[in-house]
Amino acid sequence: MGWTREENRRFEDALAVYGPEDPDRWQHVANAVAGKSPQEVKRHYEILMEDVNRIERDQIPLPRYVHSRRTAQDPCGMIRNLNLR
């Protein structure tokens, strides 16, 4: 099954708290996500790292955002596409 935005947010937050030196890292991350096993969160991390490595090697193009308008305050045309709370 896929991952929701909320699960991904919790996953990323937990990765920031529980580093690679923590022997129980994947259990802690799974507890933070809820509903995922340590094996699932570890595999999710491995896939994320594969994607990051492919992006860094220019094997995956960065997304192109449509309907963006560049301004002096927003030179990349990205601010209006953000969903801020």
Side-chain angles (χ1 to χ4, degrees):
M1 185 173 166
W3 287 61
T4 67
R5 282 186 179 182
E6 180 63 20
E7 288 171 331
N8 273 308
R9 186 193 63 76
R10 290 180 182 187
F11 170 76
E12 292 169 4
D13 289 348
L15 287 178
V17 173
Y18 304 106
E21 69 286 345
D22 187 331
D24 298 318
R25 181 183 201 189
W26 304 119
Q27 183 62 57
H28 292 306
V29 174
N31 292 344
V33 173
K36 302 289 184 184
S37 71
Q39 295 79 17
E40 288 174 301
V41 296
K42 183 177 180 186
R43 182 64 188 138
H44 195 60
Y45 177 79
E46 291 167 347
I47 291 168
L48 173 65
M49 294 312 300
E50 289 170 10
D51 288 347
V52 167
N53 289 332
R54 289 177 67 201
I55 290 168
E56 288 176 346
R57 291 190 309 260
D58 290 329
Q59 293 176 331
I60 297 176
L62 294 176
R64 301 187 79 161
Y65 296 96
V66 295
H67 307 298
S68 62
R69 188 172 1 143
R70 296 177 183 184
T71 66
Q73 295 80 21
D74 183 16
C76 295
M78 299 298 296
I79 291 175
R80 77 182 207 148
N81 293 325
L82 294 177
N83 182 13
L84 302 177
R85 294 180 198 182

